[in-house]
Amino acid sequence: MITRYQEGHVNGFVPLRSGNRVHLMIPKCGTNTIRKVLRDRNDWERYRENAFDPGWEYTAVVRHPIDRWISGAMQFEQNGRQRQHGPVDHAIEKMVFDCHTAPQHLWIKGFQPKLFKLENIEKLWAHLGVSVGWRGVHEQKRIYFAGRKPLVLEQWHKDRILNYYAKDLALYEKAE
């Protein structure tokens, strides 16, 4: 039996379930779109129980670590509480701000899900037998940082992100 909140899991772990299928939700990996499609349009339910059957089928969507970190950092930066990272270098030094920048591998710890890349979300829909005529519920936003300046990552920033999220990059590379 797999249990929720095994050592290393992050707070906010609430997957979706339909029968013996469970989708493990990782923040900043299309969760709003997935929730709309699976829960709101296909009657999947939030699964809040502690135990998971190892015989169930598990899926998850992962995102390239650099793209996910930028998106998570932007959400933290622009969340209405006016928290500011300051220069990008300071944000890179801190790396993890909240659940949106916590490593992806922590969200699926203990599970062996079939992985799909966010940019290939249509493959998830096909795998689950879900018919969807649109890609997402959010429009791509311009990326700004400290003082509404566009975020520009230098190569060393990207290298540091990829080094820190090396396990996530390995997940991404093996995903469909």
Side-chain angles (χ1 to χ4, degrees):
M1 190 62 58
I2 302 169
T3 60
R4 181 191 312 246
Y5 302 121
Q6 296 182 36
E7 184 179 339
H9 271 165
V10 288
N11 289 332
F13 177 78
V14 183
L16 298 175
R17 178 176 174 215
S18 178
N20 67 347
R21 290 181 149 177
V22 176
H23 184 78
L24 305 169
M25 304 283 274
I26 302 172
K28 305 314 295 178
C29 293
T31 54
N32 290 326
T33 296
I34 292 166
R35 186 173 20 264
K36 283 271 188 203
V37 171
L38 296 183
R39 190 183 72 189
D40 298 350
R41 296 183 180 192
N42 289 280
D43 298 324
W44 285 52
E45 297 179 356
R46 293 180 76 166
Y47 188 69
R48 295 184 179 271
E49 300 300 319
N50 191 44
F52 294 81
D53 189 319
W56 290 345
E57 177 188 357
Y58 297 91
T59 56
V61 170
V62 292
R63 189 172 185 180
H64 191 279
I66 292 174
D67 295 337
R68 183 172 178 269
W69 184 85
I70 290 170
S71 182
M74 294 306 92
Q75 180 164 338
F76 188 84
E77 177 78 10
Q78 299 171 352
N79 69 1
R81 289 179 268 185
Q82 302 303 319
R83 292 186 284 197
Q84 300 266 324
H85 296 301
V88 173
D89 293 358
H90 293 146
I92 292 291
E93 288 173 18
K94 185 169 182 180
M95 199 64 72
V96 176
F97 312 106
D98 60 14
C99 67
H100 301 96
T101 50
Q104 295 173 78
H105 70 272
L106 296 178
W107 295 90
I108 62 173
K109 185 175 180 158
F111 297 93
Q112 297 292 319
K114 182 169 182 65
L115 298 173
F116 298 89
K117 293 178 181 174
L118 178 59
E119 64 267 26
N120 297 336
I121 199 165
E122 296 86 8
K123 290 183 179 184
L124 172 68
W125 306 142
H127 177 78
L128 296 176
V130 175
S131 178
V132 181
W134 46 273
R135 186 166 176 86
V137 294
H138 292 310
E139 292 181 18
Q140 185 69 18
K141 297 176 183 170
R142 292 194 57 135
I143 298 171
Y144 292 103
F145 215 68
R148 303 287 298 162
K149 296 177 185 172
L151 173 62
V152 177
L153 294 180
E154 295 179 22
Q155 188 57 50
W156 77 268
H157 295 133
K158 294 175 184 178
D159 293 342
R160 179 116 191 251
I161 292 168
L162 291 175
N163 183 53
Y164 187 86
Y165 295 103
K167 289 181 181 179
D168 291 353
L169 183 59
L171 290 175
Y172 177 81
E173 289 174 344
K174 73 178 190 178
E176 289 188 30

